[in-house]
Amino acid sequence: MSKEDSIPAEGTVVDRLPNALFKVRLDTSQHEVLAQVSGKIRKHSIRILLGDRVSIEMSPYDLSRGRITYRHR
């Protein structure tokens, strides 16, 4: 699987969990995804708070998990 095989989506952070994990509610449905922070966001110390709009990438194999790739302003 390559990077291009991921499914992009946007949502809102609903809950903050330990170890840089977040629950994100997708805009297209009421589906919630368990998302971790990508390396670039962690490297640049970008804070993600409750209620923030984020872009995530999901694997086609497991649609309940994803990676936060961008925090919208």
Side-chain angles (χ1 to χ4, degrees), residues 13-24 33-37 47-50 68:
V13 175
V14 180
D15 192 16
R16 183 176 180 180
L17 303 169
N19 299 328
L21 290 174
F22 298 91
K23 280 193 180 179
V24 178
V33 176
L34 186 65
Q36 63 184 7
V37 179
R47 303 247 181 225
I48 298 176
L49 304 172
L50 295 179
I68 298 175

Side-chain angles (χ1 to χ4, degrees), residues 9-13 24-31 53-54 72:
E10 290 188 7
T12 306
V13 175
V24 178
R25 179 170 289 136
L26 300 180
D27 291 342
T28 57
S29 66
Q30 294 301 319
H31 186 68
R53 299 213 4 93
V54 293
H72 297 278

Side-chain angles (χ1 to χ4, degrees), residues 41-67:
I41 293 177
R42 198 176 281 194
K43 178 181 174 184
H44 294 291
S45 301
I46 296 173
R47 303 247 181 225
I48 298 176
L49 304 172
L50 295 179
D52 283 349
R53 299 213 4 93
V54 293
S55 295
I56 65 171
E57 292 180 349
M58 296 181 293
S59 167
Y61 298 112
D62 187 7
L63 296 176
S64 65
R65 296 185 141 267
R67 178 186 319 121

